[in-house]
Each structure stands twice: as C-alpha cells, then as structure tokens.
Amino acid sequence: MRSFEYVRATEVSDAVRLVSARPDAAYLAGGTTQLDLMKDGVLGPGMLVDITRLPLAGTERRGEALHVGALTTMEELAADPTVAERLPLVREALLKGASTQLRNMATIGGNLLQRTRCRYFRDPDVPKCNKRLPGSGCAAVEGVPRMHAVLGANERCIALHASDLAVPLVALDAVVHIQGPTGERRILLRDFYLLASESPDVENHLVHGELITGVEIPLLPAGALSGYLKVRDRMSYEFALTSAAVALVISDGIIHEARIGLGGVGSRPWRALDAERELVGSPPGTEAFRRAARVAVQDAWTLPGTAFKVELAQRCLVRELRTVSGVAA
C-alpha cells in the first residue's frame, strides 16, 4: 500500500471542500472494500478524508418514505422497525449481504459504491482491464467469467455489480441524496449507475468531490408482499450467482403492482421493468411468472462461462415470485 495523507472531517462542507481540492483525494467511511483495494494496489489515493464523524447516520420515517443517512451501518438499517414492517425485502438483502462483523462496519453509502469483485480488476498484474486501464481490453472475456455479468455487458467489460442491498433499492425507486462543491442534488438509484458495456471505467454519475449523504427509500404499500432470494455457492458469506428482489400488490386475484430487481447478473443493479409490465394485470401463477422471467433476461449477453446464469436467474425469479405470492410449485 502506498503512503497517503489522512484527514478527519468534522463538517460535510469541509469534507467536500477537501476532496474537491485534490484530484487524488477520496472519502473514507467503513472502508470494507476500499482498504482491500488499496492493499492490492488497485487504488492509491494520496489523501483519505475520514467522514465517520459527520452527522450522516440514522434513519427517519418521513411520511411514506424512510430517509437513511449514508453513514448508517448495514446492521443498523436491518434492525430498523420500519424496515422490518414495510421493507422486508430490504432487510433480507442486508442480512444476506455480509457477515455480522462486516454489517457492523459497512455503511449504506459505501455499500452502494462498492467496486466489482471481478478478479481481473482486482489484480493489478493483469494487463487487460478496461475498468482499471481504459482501452486495454477485458481479460475476463478471455478467462474464467463465472462470477460475471450477462446484462449490461459486452466484449468491453463483463464486470458484475456486487451489492445485494442495491437490488431491492432500485426496485423500490430509492433516491440518492448527494452533496457536492456546487450544492445538493438528488438522483434515482437506478439512474445513478452506468453500464459496464458503455463506460467500464466510469461506474456512476458522481463527479469528483461529491458525497452521498443519504438514501430515501419509498415504503411499500400496506399489504404488499415482498422478499429477496439469493442463490450462491455456499450459505455463509458469499456473493450472489443470481438474486431476485420482488414486491407484489395483489388484490381480487390480480397483480396490480410488481417491482423486480435482479442481482448477480448485471453490470449494475438490474431493474426488470419489462418483466414488471408482463406481470401487472395477470393473476399470480407459474406460467405468468415464467413469462416475466424470460422477459427479464431477454437481452442477456453471454459467454460459455456465463450462459448458465440466464436459466439460473429465471429459476431464481420464478421461485421468489411463487414464495411471496404463495403460489404452489
């Protein structure tokens, strides 16, 4: 790890000013991914601005939305009673997303900004990585791509977005609150991320110096059914091969609202809007769920090592739709 300057900020404006003034500066919160990448030599900031003392932690119910401070930990959010009552798919994603030790360190803002687990990106000795070295190529396409993306991917980059939490949040139309050198702004989380196929080295719409200060999560309607299913190689701490966040509003035997997020398959947390439209107006049932699942992955771009994910993602989504709706297999 290269040497760096360490500064602790006491005000949001101070933190933004410090990072904005130096192109090699970065924010430091829980650091559960950032420090690993620094040790591996993938990241080498010249200055870290510690933001852990800023007043950006905690949750607050505001009407039919939950405002979550960016420095709230994953464990704190999972324990929030409003999340347990009105956002069970979010709670399940949090609990399945990391070990207890990591959940007590990792922040919500940091989780949304975590970098890909692509082994080729995380190894600076690999010369081909368009995400790390723009224009160099993609070693994953030529290598072992099992844990990579099939949606929002192409020969330029198949890096996978690893966050579990972001999957239900994009399905719920969560809004990210951002503070930067020119003021405050808000952006839908599903618009926040960029596709690896379009810009491998630029992952989101943050500009240098901008800081995520919070996330606004709309609550599900009372009576909505929801859940999060994660398929992985082992039940202990592991990243998703595929996952599905599902929320349904069903009345009089008809699906009136459907929200679907997919994880483990996209270069960004994937909102399956076409699959949602396929379900609305239909009675809940296996055939309707299968049609929606096929639509959800209809634009997949695969390699021999990732083709299995198309079928696996469909099965995962159908299973979770059955589970939340109570439809028998």
Side-chain angles (χ1 to χ4, degrees):
M1 182 189 297
R2 58 174 284 188
S3 61
F4 58 88
E5 182 182 353
Y6 171 86
V7 181
R8 175 172 286 164
T10 57
E11 300 287 344
V12 172
S13 58
D14 289 338
V16 170
R17 177 180 54 79
L18 287 165
V19 173
S20 299
R22 286 187 55 168
D24 65 342
Y27 296 110
L28 173 67
T32 53
T33 295
Q34 184 180 27
L35 294 179
D36 285 342
L37 292 174
M38 290 173 64
K39 292 174 183 177
D40 289 340
V42 177
L43 298 180
M47 180 172 72
L48 285 181
V49 177
D50 187 334
I51 61 172
T52 56
R53 302 292 178 88
L54 300 184
L56 297 177
T59 60
E60 181 184 357
R61 173 85 176 265
R62 300 178 184 175
E64 287 302 293
L66 184 69
H67 184 85
V68 182
L71 293 179
T72 306
T73 67
M74 294 174 66
E75 189 69 13
E76 289 168 340
L77 185 57
D80 185 276
T82 299
V83 173
E85 179 186 359
R86 297 287 297 276
L87 298 167
L89 72 172
V90 173
R91 185 172 189 273
E92 292 174 19
L94 286 162
L95 296 178
K96 294 174 182 177
S99 65
T100 305
Q101 294 92 333
L102 285 174
R103 293 199 304 269
N104 276 298
M105 283 291 295
T107 63
I108 300 306
N111 183 279
L112 299 182
L113 291 174
Q114 67 178 289
R115 307 298 298 273
T116 181
R117 259 55 189 186
C118 174
R119 58 188 287 189
Y120 304 100
F121 166 75
R122 299 171 78 91
D123 184 352
D125 290 331
V126 174
K128 290 185 178 181
C129 178
N130 285 324
K131 187 174 288 292
R132 182 166 32 82
L133 299 169
S136 62
C138 179
V141 170
E142 305 167 4
V144 182
R146 183 170 182 268
M147 298 296 292
H148 290 71
V150 297
L151 295 172
N154 61 18
E155 67 281 353
R156 296 181 65 203
C157 183
I158 57 172
L160 180 73
H161 195 280
S163 173
D164 284 282
L165 173 61
V167 177
L169 292 190
V170 297
L172 293 166
D173 284 328
V175 175
V176 181
H177 291 239
I178 299 167
Q179 176 75 46
T182 60
E184 300 180 14
R185 66 187 180 105
R186 301 168 49 175
I187 183 171
L188 272 174
L189 185 62
R190 64 185 170 99
D191 295 331
F192 176 74
Y193 297 107
L194 299 174
L195 297 174
S197 57
E198 297 175 356
S199 58
D201 58 313
V202 181
E203 299 179 353
N204 56 60
H205 282 285
L206 284 181
V207 299
H208 183 71
E210 286 191 318
L211 173 67
I212 292 179
T213 57
V215 182
E216 182 182 332
I217 311 174
L219 301 180
L220 288 170
L225 308 167
S226 75
Y228 180 75
L229 175 62
K230 180 177 182 177
V231 178
R232 46 190 166 174
D233 286 327
R234 58 185 182 185
M235 287 304 294
S236 58
Y237 174 50
E238 181 61 281
F239 295 98
L241 285 171
T242 184
S243 66
V246 170
L248 299 174
V249 175
I250 302 173
S251 62
D252 300 323
I254 297 295
I255 299 172
H256 292 275
E257 183 177 348
R259 293 180 175 274
I260 298 172
L262 299 178
V265 291
S267 63
R268 66 183 179 189
W270 203 262
R271 179 74 179 273
L273 291 168
D274 289 340
E276 295 173 2
R277 287 188 280 266
E278 183 72 29
L279 289 174
V280 172
S282 301
T286 298
E287 286 308 311
F289 297 160
R290 286 175 176 165
R291 288 196 304 271
R294 287 193 293 270
V295 169
V297 293
Q298 63 184 343
D299 296 324
W301 189 89
T302 66
L303 296 163
T306 61
F308 77 97
K309 284 196 169 190
V310 176
E311 176 68 20
L312 186 62
Q314 292 182 69
R315 294 189 181 203
C316 176
L317 178 53
V318 169
R319 177 177 166 183
E320 191 60 9
L321 286 167
R322 283 173 174 164
T323 299
V324 301
S325 65
V327 171

